[in-house]
Amino acid sequence: AQTVTQSQPEMSVQEAETVTLSCTYDTSENNYYLFWYKQPPSRQMILVIRQEAYKQQNATENRFSVNFQKAAKSFSLKISDSQLGDTAMYFCAFKRYQGAQKLVFGQGTRLTINP
Amino acid sequence: DVKVTQSSRYLVKRTGEKVFLECVQDMDHENMFWYRQDPGLGLRLIYFSYDVKMKEKGDIPEGYSVSREKKERFSLILESASTNQTSMYLCASSSMLAGGPTGELFFGEGSRLTVL
């Protein structure tokens, strides 16, 4: 079974700084998807960024980028020029390429951006 | 935009009561999911469904059941609520269409259940 581990329960940075959230996962499969989801306080969870394992290029979405290290089974999220609106819970998630459509989530990292 | 609506944001129930959590999505998605969110544990899958009247157990199905009579609606049922079921419950849906945003889940706002 796949597992996802986020080893940083909480992080806090100043506005405009860059922050990196860590995620490791365990799987025996070669093709799969990885995701970062954001859950703002009292609001619904939304997708931040997605990476397909068969793509070597790291995904980027504006200020958000990932460092995908397939051999190390590591998938970190970098937020550049952090903003107050980035304050949220962040979840890393894994999905098999084929078969069951369910996502397996990590424990989450609570990120606080301070003014 | 995809909209996933959960019927209740906050519920308070007594031990032993039967609890229904309703979820409706408006994008004709095949897949629907119920997750439970607890601090330090992340999201854990309770049940999911990939078609009407079809269901599969997730990682923590004990004490729960589900119903999917229509494609847009997926209900989570706690037959006899217990205090250890106090939690945030998240409903989500996704599409299986080829070429679609494979794997992306669309979430509801969550239902926070307190069992006294």
Side-chain angles (χ1 to χ4, degrees), chain A residues 37 39 44 91 95 101 103 106, chain B residues 31 35 37 40 42 103 105 107:
Chain A
Y37 277 86
Q39 185 182 42
Q44 67 195 109
F91 293 95
K95 179 190 163 307
Q101 297 292 306
L103 270 64
Chain B
N31 305 314
Y35 283 88
Q37 181 180 357
L105 294 187
F107 283 87

Side-chain angles (χ1 to χ4, degrees), chain A residues 8-9 12 14 18 20 24 35 48-49 76 92 100 104 106-107 111-112:
Chain A
Q8 304 153 312
S12 178
Q14 296 300 120
T18 294
T20 298
T24 59
F35 306 84
V48 175
I49 199 164
S76 61
C92 179
V104 177
Q107 300 88 338
L111 175 65
T112 302

Side-chain angles (χ1 to χ4, degrees), chain A residues 20-84:
Chain A
T20 298
L21 281 59
S22 301
C23 173
T24 59
Y25 58 94
D26 187 27
T27 183
S28 58
E29 302 193 9
N30 190 46
N31 289 327
Y32 45 86
Y33 296 95
L34 295 164
F35 306 84
W36 278 97
Y37 277 86
K38 170 185 178 181
Q39 185 182 42
S42 300
R43 293 176 60 188
Q44 67 195 109
M45 187 121 48
I46 57 173
L47 178 67
V48 175
I49 199 164
R50 173 176 55 228
Q51 176 81 41
E52 290 92 340
Y54 57 86
K55 290 186 179 179
Q56 294 186 348
Q57 186 171 7
N58 289 326
T60 61
E61 288 288 343
N62 301 313
R63 297 181 297 106
F64 298 87
S65 62
V66 299
N67 183 5
F68 173 48
Q69 301 289 327
K70 190 173 183 180
K73 296 180 182 176
S74 171
F75 182 61
S76 61
L77 174 69
K78 185 172 82 170
I79 305 174
S80 303
D81 186 25
S82 58
Q83 301 175 358
L84 297 179

